Amino acid sequence: KTAELFSPTTGTANGNIYYHRFASTPGTSTVFSDAISADASFFVAWTGMEDIYDYARNGGYNKTIPPAAQFESHLDSLLSGLTSNGAKGVIANIPDIHSFPFYTLIPYNGVELTQAKADSLNDIYNLALITHIHFAEGKNAFITYDTAAPYGVRHLSGDELILLSVPLDSMKCYFLGILFQFIPDRCVLDTSELALIEQSIRQYNTIIAQKAAQYDLAFADMNSFFSSVNAGIKWDGVDFNAEFISGGFYSLDGQHPNQKGYSLVTNEFIRAINAKYGSTLPPVNCSECDGVLFP
């Protein structure tokens, strides 16, 4: 997270799982201080993702998103330090949540029923006097826990998301989300949680664009790029999209790109750098990178 770039605890074994391995003085130095001590002439900054997506991938459960003003303060400290010796750089913004299969793969209405099965489920719920839960032939919304709903349960609505962290074996084999057990809050982003995420992404991205202009940096629009991947792109005759596994861009966690995906991301950074500074950095050859390996 952006605040953690300035915290000495980030460099401990209980802090960031990567930084503590190469921190100059674990437990004392910070990501920021080590970056400053490098006295680099060029830097790449892509921060703010974890501030928002730590909340998102946990379904908002026991998590918060730092206010935009706090993010702006930390980002300003970061960039003013990195550019203090005249260094140039590139900064990127934050993709939309609907770009990632981790949040979009499982449809809210994935309960497909025959009329006989729908009638059977309705009979069970009616006997329990839970009459606001109703099934029909065809596609039906899964059920989640909600303390504000009657009996603490309700159907998901069309703008809510089920996370890929949901126990899929329980959904397929034990009727999770249909009967007796329901989708837990930590595996769902409800309407209000999604509104907070989308608002935060807009606010953070506005700040990032402003800081790119203020510090005269190259700007890599990752929000637009990830949206274009979602729609489908072509590189060197090869198609890529956001389909889980088969799309060729994302890894098996549905959140991070695979090697080919990251090479495409890299090329977007290179394109932004070349456009800003008139440089001629060559693109990465995506075909030389690994994708998802099928058994």
Side-chain angles (χ1 to χ4, degrees), residues 108 111 122 125 131-136 140-146 149 153-158 160 177-178:
Y108 83 97
V111 184
N122 290 333
Y125 280 101
T131 55
H132 69 291
I133 299 295
H134 181 79
F135 294 93
N140 293 263
F142 284 103
I143 302 170
T144 188
Y145 293 104
D146 186 341
V153 295
R154 63 171 176 82
H155 285 289
L156 287 169
S157 63
E160 296 177 321
I178 304 172

Side-chain angles (χ1 to χ4, degrees), residues 177-238:
I178 304 172
L179 187 65
F180 305 128
Q181 299 182 70
F182 308 108
I183 310 276
D185 175 60
R186 67 181 182 276
C187 296
V188 170
L189 286 172
D190 63 27
T191 303
S192 61
E193 291 166 338
L194 268 176
L196 174 60
I197 291 166
E198 291 171 341
Q199 178 189 50
S200 298
I201 290 174
R202 287 193 299 271
Q203 291 174 337
Y204 278 37
N205 282 349
T206 297
I207 292 166
I208 291 168
Q210 290 171 345
K211 296 303 174 185
Q214 178 183 341
Y215 289 95
D216 197 25
L217 302 172
F219 174 64
D221 190 352
M222 288 294 113
N223 186 278
S224 293
F225 174 66
F226 274 71
S227 293
S228 69
V229 172
N230 206 25
I233 61 174
K234 190 182 292 288
W235 192 90
D236 198 23
V238 179

Side-chain angles (χ1 to χ4, degrees), residues 35-72:
I36 294 298
S37 66
D39 195 28
S41 61
F42 196 91
F43 63 87
V44 176
W46 192 5
T47 187
M49 287 278 290
E50 189 67 9
D51 298 60
I52 294 173
Y53 280 97
D54 180 50
Y55 175 93
R57 69 170 175 268
N58 287 285
Y61 189 73
N62 286 338
K63 299 288 184 178
T64 58
I65 297 177
Q70 179 180 320
F71 170 71
E72 181 174 15

Side-chain angles (χ1 to χ4, degrees), residues 4 9-17 20:
E4 293 172 344
T9 59
T10 306
T12 66
N14 294 323
N16 184 272
I17 61 174
H20 80 272

Side-chain angles (χ1 to χ4, degrees), residues 228-229 231-243 245-250 258 260-261 264 286:
S228 69
V229 172
I233 61 174
K234 190 182 292 288
W235 192 90
D236 198 23
V238 179
D239 292 316
F240 294 89
N241 59 57
E243 284 292 319
I245 299 179
S246 62
F249 184 84
Y250 283 100
N258 56 31
K260 289 184 182 294
L264 291 166
C286 305

Side-chain angles (χ1 to χ4, degrees), residues 105-129:
L105 179 65
I106 303 172
Y108 83 97
N109 61 345
V111 184
E112 188 139 13
L113 301 171
T114 64
Q115 186 63 60
K117 289 181 178 179
D119 291 341
S120 178
L121 285 168
N122 290 333
D123 288 343
I124 293 171
Y125 280 101
N126 287 335
L127 284 172
L129 304 180

